[in-house]
């Protein structure tokens, strides 16, 4: 396995700025799903091996028929950022432990939005032209209520889930599948660290890449599927009459010219005893879409299949 760049080129850049190391593997016998099962199995979490949690997979099926060119897997973040309202916390040693969060100094002074902007600037890496897109960076979510950091809105509804309003992770390993070339790039972002020499940083990144190559040689774990006789009924967070009243009120607003469209929603809950990744696998078969995502945050997961993108900025 040949890793790029070579050490001489790596050493020239290391003290000044962040960079990536990578190798390219043949992927004609591998899929993003099989790789995810091999590299981020749930059993690792149950044994207390934290280094394999906080992972993600992003896939794309354009128009429900044409498979998108790239799929992305991210593993082993070195940093985790999260916010609760305008308060942000950051874990800068996530490799050692997932719970070592501290208040973010930028957020304490200027709020959560400024904190995230600062982290994005800090995490930028100049990528070689021949690497696929998204070979490094931050991945996560911002919940709807983050809009309250930008606009003055009425008091929000009760927080029944108790989850962070936003979480972003910075993976130290990203695997990018290219469906056109039948290859996968295994990429290890490297950031200069005080007290870490170029030689040690290079060796550590080389080891991370080699561990992925070794992990892909293993068979995927066998998943036991329970015998489900009948599907449980989903429970809503409101009654049918309450939801109907919301619809009638929205129609009145439209007729009055106060709004022209609105998204009304209710939350459904249903017991689910399988791993969250099983839900993702079912969803990608039943509802393929341009934006498929599975984000594993150890205590909970975010799974989705969306036909549209909210905003895209390039360059």
């Amino acid at each position: 396995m040949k890793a790029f760049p070579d050490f001489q080129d790596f050493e020239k850049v290391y003290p000044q700025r962040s960079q990536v190391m990578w190798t390219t593997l043949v992927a004609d016998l591998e899929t993003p799903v099989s790789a995810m099962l091999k590299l981020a199995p749930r059993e690792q979490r149950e044994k207390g091996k934290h280094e394999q949690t906080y992972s993600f997979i992003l896939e794309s099926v354009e128009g429900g028929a044409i498979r998108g060119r790239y799929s992305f897997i991210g593993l082993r973040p070195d940093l985790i950022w999260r916010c609760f309202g305008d308060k942000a916390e950051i874990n800068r040693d996530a490799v050692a432990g997932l719970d070592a969060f501290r208040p973010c100094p930028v957020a304490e002074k200027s709020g959560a939005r400024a904190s995230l902007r600062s982290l994005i600037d800090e995490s930028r890496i100049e990528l070689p032209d021949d690497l696929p897109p998204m070979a490094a960076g931050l991945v996560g979510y911002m919940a709807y209520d983050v809009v309250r950091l930008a606009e003055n809105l009425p008091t929000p509804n009760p927080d029944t889930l108790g989850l962070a309003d936003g979480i972003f992770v910075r993976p130290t390993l990203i695997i990018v599948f290219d469906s056109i070339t039948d290859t996968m790039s295994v990429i290890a972002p490297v950031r200069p660290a005080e007290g870490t020499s170029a030689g040690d940083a290079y060796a550590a990144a080389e080891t991370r890449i080699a561990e992925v190559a070794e992990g892909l040689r293993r068979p995927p774990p066998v998943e036991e599927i329970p015998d489900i006789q009948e599907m449980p009924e989903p429970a809503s967070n409101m009654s049918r009459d309450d939801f109907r009243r919301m619809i009638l009120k929205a129609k009145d607003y439209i007729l009055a010219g106060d709004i022209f469209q609105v998204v009304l929603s209710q939350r459904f809950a249903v017991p689910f005893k399988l791993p969250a990744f099983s839900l993702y696998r079912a969803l990608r078969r039943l509802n393929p879409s341009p934006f498929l995502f599975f984000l594993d945050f150890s205590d909970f997961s975010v799974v989705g299949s969306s036909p549209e993108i909210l905003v895209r900025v390039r360059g």
Side-chain angles (χ1 to χ4, degrees), residues 131-307:
L131 274 186
M134 248 185 69
L138 299 166
V139 173
Y141 74 84
M142 286 189 289
Y144 182 82
D145 278 326
V146 170
V147 73
R148 300 178 189 281
L149 303 182
E151 298 207 15
N152 185 18
L153 297 173
T155 304
N157 291 322
D159 180 4
T160 57
L161 296 181
L163 302 176
D165 291 324
I167 297 180
F168 284 89
V169 301
R170 192 171 72 183
T172 62
L173 278 167
I174 294 183
I175 300 97
V176 184
F177 281 78
D178 188 329
S179 63
I180 291 180
T181 62
D182 253 346
T183 59
M184 58 180 142
S185 300
V186 183
I187 303 153
V190 181
R191 293 175 169 83
E194 188 176 343
T196 303
S197 67
D200 288 343
Y202 191 90
E206 208 170 28
T207 297
R208 294 202 301 274
I209 292 171
E211 287 174 349
V212 169
E214 179 62 30
L216 291 171
R217 296 189 188 100
R218 296 192 299 256
V222 178
E223 191 175 283
E224 294 185 10
I225 306 298
D227 183 19
I228 300 174
Q229 299 298 325
E230 59 181 69
M231 291 295 292
E233 284 294 320
S236 174
N237 65 333
M238 66 180 66
S239 70
R240 183 183 183 91
D241 287 341
D242 286 341
F243 193 65
R244 175 178 161 79
R245 278 191 288 271
M246 288 170 57
I247 294 172
L248 294 175
K249 191 173 182 179
K251 291 171 71 174
D252 288 340
Y253 280 135
I254 292 170
L255 290 172
D258 292 333
I259 62 174
F260 64 91
Q261 65 180 19
V262 62
V263 178
L264 301 174
S265 64
Q266 55 186 307
R267 174 178 291 127
F268 289 97
V270 66
F272 190 78
K273 297 181 180 180
L274 295 175
F277 195 58
S278 297
L279 178 61
Y280 173 79
R281 291 174 64 191
L283 188 62
R284 71 192 290 277
R285 292 195 308 273
L286 296 172
N287 188 41
S289 79
F291 301 98
L292 291 152
F293 54 90
F294 170 76
L295 310 175
D296 180 359
F297 295 120
S298 189
D299 294 333
F300 71 99
S301 299
V302 181
V303 182
S305 174
S306 175

